[in-house]
Amino acid sequence: MEKLLCGIDLGGTKLSVGLVNPNGQILDKIIVYDHPGMNEESVVNYITQLVRQVISANNLRESDLEGIGIGFPGHVRYRDGYTITTSNLKGFKNFPLKESLSRNFSIPVKLDNDANAQAFCEFKFGAGRGYDDLIFLTISSGIGAGIVLNRKIYRGMTGTAGEFGHTIVDPQSDYICTCGNRGCLMGCACGLTLPQMFRKKTEQGIKTTLPLPHDFDFSKVDGKMIKQGLDIDDPLSKAIVTDCADYIGIGIYNIFQVFNPPIIILGGGLMNLGEYYFSRIKSKFYELARDMIYDPVEIVKSEAEADAGLIGAAALLLE
Ligand SMILES: [Zn+2]
């Protein structure tokens, strides 16, 4: 029997642990939401317990697994297996996550950034199947990315390559990114910025047709609400989505010029904004790339979607 893979998607709200076969199919998974707030050692012990649980629930032994892959929502020092920093979880500053987890198991453990894991999932099993090179961009509360070159994840010197969310697309922007810089792609076009955009457009006099109370709390604005606005043709929601899509279009144009990839895959929660958003991204890209496209470049939506993090983490063992 071919050995199974164990994937762990350690998110800011959700922690998934699953068994995945070498074809990228999830055989079983456990999802929990009570890990935020725990310290690093407790998270390690919790993950250990969940992995053992899923192994025994399937009448397996540790030796039936190829290893354990874990996707982390932040910067990772890949070769040393350290987490450097994260804005989604408490702690994990320069924490030896790989080694801490390895101590509890006899099989190999691999640790990488979650967007790298998702990119590798698309490469092995999703929209990037059959390509040697691809760029994957995830657009949700933040913006992350993964680079696959010559069928391998490109990680750079430290392991933090692919942080396109922090490339600067508008130095005069009103929006300050979580990193402190003005006009990062993430600051201009991610979910976290939607409340500020909504306030700014309201102050500019654009009226929303969304039914909101007079004392509306702008911090409640999120992708779901903007999608509702789009569905009823709300001019304010549409203006926000147009701006966001244009910035993503600029972002993937820059990516195209740097890497000349045959395919760029877009995933993450904000892709649920729908067809107007996606087609506006593409039209901005083509408007900028004009006659500099010499071979077809595919711009497509992620196929693995919600399970990409889990499957991708497991697939790290196949790299
Ligand atoms: Zn930034």
Side-chain angles (χ1 to χ4, degrees):
M1 185 179 91
E2 246 187 322
K3 287 196 173 185
L4 298 175
L5 316 167
C6 179
I8 298 162
D9 187 16
L10 175 56
T13 50
K14 187 169 91 170
L15 164 60
S16 330
V17 174
L19 292 176
V20 178
N21 71 19
N23 301 318
Q25 284 147 340
I26 296 176
L27 305 179
D28 194 10
K29 65 178 170 184
I30 304 174
I31 300 175
V32 295
Y33 297 89
D34 52 353
H35 67 294
M38 287 184 183
N39 67 24
E40 296 93 340
E41 287 303 334
S42 304
V43 171
V44 168
N45 291 336
Y46 198 17
I47 291 173
T48 302
Q49 175 205 323
L50 294 171
V51 170
R52 288 187 179 142
Q53 194 179 322
V54 80
I55 290 175
S56 70
N58 288 273
N59 298 317
L60 297 167
R61 283 171 306 179
E62 210 181 301
S63 56
D64 294 320
L65 302 183
E66 187 70 46
I68 299 166
I70 172 162
F72 178 77
H75 292 118
V76 166
R77 192 175 281 281
Y78 177 73
R79 266 169 302 181
D80 307 327
Y82 272 64
T83 61
I84 301 173
T85 175
T86 172
S87 40
N88 298 15
L89 288 165
K90 208 179 91 180
F92 286 97
K93 286 222 180 329
N94 296 312
F95 180 73
L97 179 56
K98 179 176 155 179
E99 194 194 312
S100 303
L101 208 54
S102 294
R103 263 186 238 128
N104 299 339
F105 296 98
S106 55
I107 49 178
V109 173
K110 280 195 93 172
L111 165 72
D112 207 339
N113 165 268
D114 56 357
N116 281 358
Q118 289 170 44
F120 203 65
C121 176
E122 294 293 343
F123 163 72
K124 287 293 286 183
F125 310 115
R129 274 188 317 268
Y131 289 89
D132 290 339
D133 310 299
L134 65 82
I135 307 292
F136 168 78
L137 197 66
T138 175
I139 313 159
S140 58
S141 45
I143 292 179
I147 304 164
V148 175
L149 297 179
N150 289 321
R151 310 176 66 80
K152 286 184 114 11
I153 298 172
Y154 176 77
R155 299 182 172 90
M157 171 177 61
T158 307
T160 59
E163 288 288 343
F164 296 120
H166 296 295
T167 55
I168 294 174
V169 291
D170 184 359
Q172 261 81 50
S173 171
D174 292 330
Y175 305 116
I176 312 277
C177 179
T178 52
C179 75
N181 283 335
R182 184 176 292 278
C184 288
L185 178 60
M186 189 164 132
C188 293
C190 77
L192 288 176
T193 311
L194 295 174
Q196 281 169 270
M197 291 180 171
F198 201 93
R199 180 189 291 278
K200 186 181 156 206
K201 300 240 177 260
T202 304
E203 285 165 1
Q204 286 170 346
I206 305 178
K207 295 258 185 296
T208 180
T209 52
L210 279 164
L212 302 180
H214 286 297
D215 56 347
F216 178 66
D217 175 3
F218 283 99
S219 70
K220 297 273 189 297
V221 176
D222 61 7
K224 263 188 200 144
M225 183 182 142
I226 298 298
K227 169 77 172 107
Q228 282 167 7
L230 269 189
D231 291 345
I232 60 165
D233 244 339
D234 169 38
L236 201 157
S237 301
K238 194 159 183 181
I240 288 174
V241 173
T242 304
D243 284 1
C244 288
D246 285 352
Y247 280 118
I248 299 293
I250 292 169
I252 62 174
Y253 166 74
N254 291 341
I255 289 170
F256 166 74
Q257 291 292 18
V258 175
F259 292 98
N260 186 221
I263 182 166
I264 298 173
I265 304 168
L266 305 179
L270 283 195
M271 288 306 289
N272 294 327
L273 285 172
E275 203 40 49
Y276 171 73
Y277 176 63
F278 187 40
S279 60
R280 179 87 192 188
I281 290 172
K282 287 188 283 191
S283 61
K284 188 69 186 179
F285 168 80
Y286 287 112
E287 177 196 321
L288 295 167
R290 300 186 315 271
D291 56 355
M292 290 177 272
I293 301 173
Y294 308 111
D295 290 291
V297 51
E298 300 272 344
I299 299 170
V300 300
K301 288 190 219 171
S302 152
E303 277 179 19
E305 282 301 332
D307 286 322
L310 181 61
I311 300 170
L316 291 172
L317 296 152
L318 303 174
E319 192 190 3

